[in-house]
DNA sequence: ATACTTTTGTGTACAAACTACACATAATGA
DNA sequence: TCATTATGTGTAGTTTGTACACAAAAGTAT
């Protein structure tokens, strides 16, 4: 079909986490269509760049963010999803650490902002649907792949990890059992560092060990919470 | 980017299963590039059709097959993956029942054939990579979603199900434990019909009950083998 | 028709994993 | 120094997983 007139774009649902809040990064659109409304960052793919390059470029252009983990989510292709004509969008799913939270609006974005996933504004295009898919993926995947660590600082107290899981899974977790299981997976290094936030006993810091994780994965040992 | 010149195609990895063999449906290409070589069925998306419609149309045109289960697999977008220029392909993953095994080559396909997944020919484009992703998805997904039934006749003896799992997972399964667990999931109806294939005690037929499955899923009970 | 072969169908004992649960420790702040 | 807050740890009971063998119902060969 040499008369095909379909445009290809990428969109990125980027999640961040801080103190019990899971947030998603949205931009306020500077141009039509949906000018002034909130949307997932993204844009058209250039002829010579890969899809991942396109996502990273658009994210950097529009939000200034430094992404930490990126994977393809799903491709949305309903003929009516963009009022400008046929646009198929490959959606990605990204995670950033709290210390990379700084954001700067530019190019197509009038404004960039973190939104708690429970307090979302109205979204442009079919972005509500995309976001829903991304949230489901995040909630599902956190139980069988070690992606939760990508939302925390490199060194973190155990309680942070626990709170992240309770928040994402939406239910309480037994502290002792969770720790027992997580430590039993053998992918965390306990450091000789402590951190104290306010009152209470200082917590030991932990660090995810990706090398050990991939080694265990090779041996067929699976991460599962 | 109004000067974007990217073409969009769909490809479908279709699996079939019969008597301990997992097969994939391939076509021999009638035209360049890769004329005369084997490839996954697929083709360009029309301007007004959805991606799923495109897959089903191409599959029907090229192979005549009636697909039974279809889900999106992954989108492949490396700039160099097609010698004709930039072509991004949304790959799908399909399953057919043994009684829909009949295939007929036409349009772009000089020939259509089932290949055992362990005896694959050289493949065009990046189709080897796509197939690899599809096989991994099938093997992974069969343990936590009831898609195995889509590869069997509607009514099947328990031994067929067991053999499918041993084949897909590539390891032996304890017959009693497997049956206990599968029956315990409560998504199989035991019918009052028996079937006898050659010598041996006749087997009772079972049937997957999708309604019950979705009901249980709603209640948070998960399928897991 | 009888014995042999083939495939289906079923229960139990032991091991491993999961779940529920409470109190000491180390810090801060009044 | 006493109250408050958060971290760190073990055990008993329950549930789930695993290993394993023999009877039942059909076909096949003599």
């Amino acid at each position: 079909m040499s008369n095909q007139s379909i445009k290809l774009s990428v969109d990125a649902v980027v999640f961040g986490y801080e103190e019990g809040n899971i947030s998603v990064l949205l931009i306020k659109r500077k141009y039509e269509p949906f000018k002034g409304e909130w949307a997932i960052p993204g844009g058209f793919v250039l002829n010579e760049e890969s899809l991942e390059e396109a996502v990273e470029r658009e994210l950097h252009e529009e939000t200034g963010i430094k992404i930490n983990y990126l994977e393809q989510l799903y491709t949305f292709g309903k003929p009516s999803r963009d009022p400008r004509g046929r646009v198929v969008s490959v959606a990605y799913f990204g995670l950033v650490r709290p210390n990379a939270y700084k954001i700067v609006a530019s190019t197509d974005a009038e404004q960039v902002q973190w939104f708690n996933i429970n307090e979302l504004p109205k979204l442009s295009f079919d972005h509500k649907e995309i976001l829903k898919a991304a949230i489901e993926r995040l909630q599902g995947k956190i139980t069988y792949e070690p992606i939760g660590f990508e939302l925390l600082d490199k060194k973190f107290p155990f309680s942070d990890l626990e709170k992240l899981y309770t928040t994402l899974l939406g239910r309480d977790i037994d502290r002792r059992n969770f720790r027992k299981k997580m430590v039993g997976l053998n992918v965390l290094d306990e450091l000789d560092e402590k951190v104290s936030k306010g009152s209470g006993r200082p917590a030991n810091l932990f660090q995810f060990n990706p090398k050990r994780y991939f080694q265990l994965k090779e041996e067929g040992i699976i991460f599962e919470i």
Side-chain angles (χ1 to χ4, degrees), chain A:
Chain A
M1 300 292 100
S2 59
N3 59 349
Q4 192 193 59
S5 65
I6 302 178
K7 296 277 172 248
L8 190 71
S9 68
V10 287
D11 287 302
V13 180
V14 176
F15 292 105
Y17 171 79
E18 219 167 25
E19 288 161 31
N21 284 308
I22 297 161
S23 318
V24 65
L25 191 63
L26 299 179
I27 62 157
K28 190 181 254 180
R29 290 178 59 84
K30 206 189 249 174
Y31 307 112
E32 293 294 350
F34 300 107
K35 183 181 169 183
E37 292 190 33
W38 293 98
I40 297 166
F44 291 104
V45 179
L46 299 178
N47 290 331
E48 352 60 38
E49 72 186 346
S50 72
L51 302 174
E52 287 74 17
E53 282 164 355
V55 177
E56 277 165 12
R57 178 182 51 74
E58 288 284 353
L59 268 178
H60 190 261
E61 281 177 13
E62 293 183 340
T63 71
I65 205 140
K66 184 178 162 284
I67 203 88
N68 181 37
Y69 173 88
L70 189 71
E71 72 172 44
Q72 194 181 297
L73 175 63
Y74 197 79
T75 298
F76 294 81
K78 255 212 320 252
S80 60
R81 59 178 294 283
D82 192 313
R84 291 168 294 191
R86 185 76 193 272
V87 179
V88 171
S89 181
V90 185
Y92 279 75
F93 164 97
L95 305 176
V96 299
R97 296 196 195 281
N99 60 27
Y101 242 55
K102 303 282 167 286
I103 46 180
V104 186
S106 55
T107 65
D108 302 348
E110 185 185 310
Q111 205 182 326
V112 187
Q113 201 178 306
W114 287 105
F115 285 85
N116 185 297
I117 58 165
N118 298 313
E119 298 159 13
L120 292 170
K122 186 174 176 298
L123 292 171
S124 319
F125 305 99
D126 56 354
H127 288 185
K128 188 178 171 186
E129 191 186 343
I130 298 180
L131 205 74
K132 184 164 169 270
I135 292 170
E136 283 168 8
R137 177 89 134 237
L138 177 59
Q139 289 177 333
K141 202 150 187 175
I142 203 169
T143 65
Y144 64 91
E145 294 215 6
I147 58 170
F149 309 110
E150 312 295 337
L151 284 167
L152 301 176
D153 288 315
K154 283 219 166 159
K155 301 173 180 182
F156 54 86
F158 219 96
S159 53
D160 276 16
L161 189 62
E162 188 201 326
K163 195 165 193 182
L164 172 64
Y165 272 81
T166 53
T167 308
L168 272 174
L169 301 179
R171 59 180 162 83
D172 278 7
I173 291 179
D174 183 281
R175 190 150 49 96
R176 277 181 282 194
N177 294 339
F178 179 74
R179 182 161 180 154
K180 205 188 308 173
K181 193 158 179 187
M182 191 60 92
V183 168
L185 292 172
N186 249 305
V187 294
L188 290 186
D189 292 336
E190 188 162 6
L191 306 174
D192 263 345
E193 271 178 83
K194 292 194 194 303
V195 70
S196 171
K197 39 181 175 188
S199 77
R201 177 173 175 172
N204 230 311
L205 289 179
F206 286 80
Q207 193 168 347
F208 174 57
N209 188 326
K211 209 170 131 191
R212 181 124 25 89
Y213 167 66
F214 287 113
Q215 205 176 304
L216 290 170
K217 202 179 172 185
E218 291 287 313
E219 297 166 19
I221 287 140
I222 55 166
F223 180 92
E224 203 182 359
I225 285 294

